């Protein structure tokens, strides 16, 4: 009867009960985090009207500037459709377009027709190339720059009174001599005031950050925002929506109505100036971050070694000769003659050192081991350095010869 048949079988598979005991702590922690994240996201989403919304008290909302305007006697009205926005334009109205890039081509042309015929003010927030060419003819966009505290460097009274403000973002150029350009960044302005033929004007703002709640009390942001938005007794805050019926009356989508490829050439105008994270409610971002942190902590927890490794008896005893033969076959298959030669030489030096009276720590030091061995052997023609510390054999035959020579050297030292 072989060892394999006599050895008692040992089961290493965990039972369902053991698996549940090990995993229930991690599952409970993940469940708690999921519930907390979803609850937090739902609460945040319920009170968040979105970025640049005058009803939102979030850091990226604009409720603070809206409340300041109301305190100064300015009426603030939110419009979510193009019909509402165009119906409200007039000489005593400021129309703020929070997302001009979300409008289709026909919406932009319709909005331009309504505002250019009025004597009111139209304020565009970070319009891209296509929106700028239709809503502010004669103005061209330049490369985006980071928002920073910039000096006005212009003659616009509102900018001079406000002083330094957080400006930048999209920059613009224009050849209109009547236009006022302020807050230059890297040579191009980020605020342009373009007079219209009806004694009104169009204001182009390169970045919405100065209107955010978290930035309003910094630098001259509040002063500049109140002057730009409070020049008329009525403010219409237009928040374009993709669900606006006017966006689908002609079957088009934002940016899909471009007839002239040189005007736009892009069918992604709705996302122009916005990133994916800008479209995700802040609550869901935090929930995702919490889940990611929980996953990392669970991986660290389950990856720890809680104590030393436990030795386990093998069901079958494997002889040392079989292990050596299997390892040698692997070396031969990989043609690792150098690794095999290093293993042979290392083992030989380890066994020869105590026979020659050399400490184990110096067994692999040629200057200590070789003189001691030379005194123990009788044949002076041995090249001990090449034999014990030489180069790798280039063929299998050379490797076999090296093994025979090492074996002969060890026998000679043992019998000397």
């Amino acid at each position: 009867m072989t060892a394999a048949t006599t050895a008692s079988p040992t089961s290493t598979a965990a039972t369902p009960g053991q698996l549940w005991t090990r995993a229930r702590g991690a599952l409970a922690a993940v469940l708690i985090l999921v519930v907390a994240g979803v609850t937090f996201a739902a609460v945040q989403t319920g009170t968040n009207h979105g970025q640049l919304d005058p009803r939102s008290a979030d850091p990226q909302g604009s409720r603070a500037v809206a409340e300041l305007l109301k305190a100064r006697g300015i009426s603030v009205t939110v419009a979510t459709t193009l019909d509402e926005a165009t119906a409200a334009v007039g000489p005593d109205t400021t129309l703020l377009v929070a997302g001009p890039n979300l409008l289709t081509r026909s919406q932009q042309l319709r909005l331009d027709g309504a505002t250019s015929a009025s004597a009111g003010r139209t304020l565009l927030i970070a319009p891209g190339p296509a929106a700028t060419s239709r809503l502010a003819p004669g103005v061209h966009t330049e490369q985006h720059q980071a928002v920073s505290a910039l000096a006005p460097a212009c003659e616009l009274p509102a900018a001079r009174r406000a002083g330094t403000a957080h400006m930048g973002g999209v920059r613009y150029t224009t050849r209109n001599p009547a236009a006022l350009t302020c807050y230059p960044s890297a040579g191009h302005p980020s605020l342009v005031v373009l007079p219209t033929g009806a004694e009104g004007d169009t204001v182009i703002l390169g970045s919405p950050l100065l209107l955010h709640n978290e930035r309003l009390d910094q630098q001259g942001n509040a002063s500049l925002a109140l002057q730009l938005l409070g020049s008329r007794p009525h403010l219409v805050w237009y928040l374009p929506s993709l669900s606006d019926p006017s966006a689908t009356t002609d079957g088009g989508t934002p940016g899909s109505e471009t007839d002239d490829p040189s005007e736009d050439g892009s069918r992604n105008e709705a996302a122009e100036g916005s990133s994916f994270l800008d479209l995700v409610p802040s609550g869901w971002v935090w929930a995702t971050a919490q889940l990611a942190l929980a996953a990392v902590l669970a991986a660290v927890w389950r990856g720890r070694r809680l104590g030393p490794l436990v030795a386990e008896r093998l069901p079958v005893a494997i002889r040392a000769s079989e292990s050596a033969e299997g390892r040698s076959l692997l070396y031969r298959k990989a043609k690792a003659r150098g690794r095999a030669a290093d293993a042979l030489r290392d083992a030989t030096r380890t066994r020869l050192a105590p026979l020659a009276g050399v400490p184990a720590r110096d067994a692999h030091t040629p200057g200590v081991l070789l003189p001691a061995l030379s005194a123990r052997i009788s044949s002076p023609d041995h090249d001990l350095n090449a034999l014990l510390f030489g180069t790798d054999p280039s063929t299998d035959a050379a490797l076999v010869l090296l093994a025979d020579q090492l074996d002969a050297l060890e026998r000679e030292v043992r019998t000397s």
Side-chain angles (χ1 to χ4, degrees), residues 31 42 71 75-76 106 110 131 138 154 157 165 234 244 261 299 344 346 368 390 393-394:
L31 180 61
S75 66
V76 180
S106 63
R110 180 181 166 189
C154 68
H234 304 291
D244 187 348
L344 292 173
D346 183 83
V368 179
S394 57

Side-chain angles (χ1 to χ4, degrees), residues 292-306:
L293 178 61
V296 172
L297 293 178
V300 172
W301 169 54
R302 298 301 297 174
R304 288 185 57 194
R305 294 188 179 277
L306 304 179

Side-chain angles (χ1 to χ4, degrees), residues 143-162:
Q143 188 177 7
H144 186 279
Q145 286 286 332
V147 174
S148 60
L150 300 176
C154 68
E155 298 300 325
L156 181 67
R160 293 179 65 86
R161 284 191 292 267

Side-chain angles (χ1 to χ4, degrees), residues 48-398:
N48 178 22
H49 293 285
Q51 182 177 353
L52 209 65
D53 193 311
R55 301 164 295 183
S56 174
D58 284 356
Q60 286 76 37
S62 299
R63 183 175 178 179
V65 67
E67 293 299 325
L68 290 176
L69 289 169
K70 292 177 183 178
R72 292 170 176 260
I74 308 298
S75 66
V76 180
T77 304
V78 176
T80 57
T81 65
L82 183 61
D83 292 338
E84 295 174 346
T86 55
V89 297
D92 58 349
T93 302
T94 298
L95 175 63
L96 184 149
V97 184
N101 301 314
L102 290 174
L103 301 176
T104 63
R105 180 176 182 272
S106 63
Q107 286 179 308
Q108 292 169 351
L109 295 177
R110 180 181 166 189
L111 180 63
D112 178 62
T115 56
S116 60
S118 70
R121 164 169 288 182
T122 303
L123 196 147
L124 307 174
I125 303 297
T132 303
S133 65
R134 294 167 190 150
L135 298 176
V139 180
H140 305 281
T141 60
E142 298 294 335
Q143 188 177 7
H144 186 279
Q145 286 286 332
V147 174
S148 60
L150 300 176
C154 68
E155 298 300 325
L156 181 67
R160 293 179 65 86
R161 284 191 292 267
T164 302
H166 282 133
M167 296 292 292
V170 184
R171 301 171 302 151
Y172 304 92
T173 57
T174 180
R175 295 183 180 180
N176 190 332
L180 293 176
T181 58
C182 303
Y183 296 100
S185 175
H188 297 290
S190 54
L191 172 63
V192 178
V193 180
L194 190 68
T196 61
E199 298 183 356
D201 58 21
T202 298
V203 179
I204 305 175
L205 203 62
S207 171
L209 293 186
L210 69 87
L211 301 178
H212 289 172
N213 295 328
E214 63 182 355
R215 297 281 189 115
L216 193 63
D217 62 342
Q218 302 175 13
Q219 304 293 336
N221 296 348
S223 176
L224 182 60
L226 292 176
Q227 293 181 79
L228 293 178
L229 299 179
S231 62
R232 270 75 172 172
H234 304 291
L235 171 63
V236 177
W237 202 295
Y238 178 28
L239 300 172
S241 172
L242 295 178
S243 60
D244 187 348
S246 65
T248 56
T249 52
D250 52 8
T253 57
S256 67
E257 300 180 65
T258 303
D259 298 326
D260 184 3
S262 64
E263 271 189 316
D264 189 7
S266 172
R267 295 186 179 269
N268 297 319
E269 187 177 344
E272 184 180 1
S274 300
S275 65
F276 172 74
L277 292 179
D278 294 333
L279 306 177
V280 178
S282 58
W284 291 104
V285 175
W286 282 108
T288 304
Q290 292 176 15
L291 291 177
L293 178 61
V296 172
L297 293 178
V300 172
W301 169 54
R302 298 301 297 174
R304 288 185 57 194
R305 294 188 179 277
L306 304 179
L309 294 176
V310 178
E312 183 178 359
R313 294 181 58 186
L314 295 177
V316 178
I318 301 178
R319 293 182 294 179
S321 59
E322 295 180 2
S323 299
E325 183 178 358
R327 189 172 183 178
S328 64
L329 291 176
L330 292 176
Y331 279 144
R332 181 177 182 181
K333 184 176 181 180
K335 298 182 179 180
R337 303 184 188 94
R339 295 288 299 273
D342 291 340
L344 292 173
R345 284 167 170 157
D346 183 83
T348 302
R349 292 194 299 264
T350 302
R351 293 191 298 268
L352 289 178
L355 297 177
V358 175
R361 64 176 181 274
D362 296 326
H364 308 289
T365 304
V368 179
L369 180 63
L370 295 181
L373 291 177
S374 298
R376 297 293 300 270
I377 61 177
S378 57
S379 303
D381 56 344
H382 279 301
D383 188 357
L384 297 179
N385 185 59
L387 184 59
L388 294 174
F389 301 95
T391 59
D392 298 337
S394 57
T395 62
D396 291 345

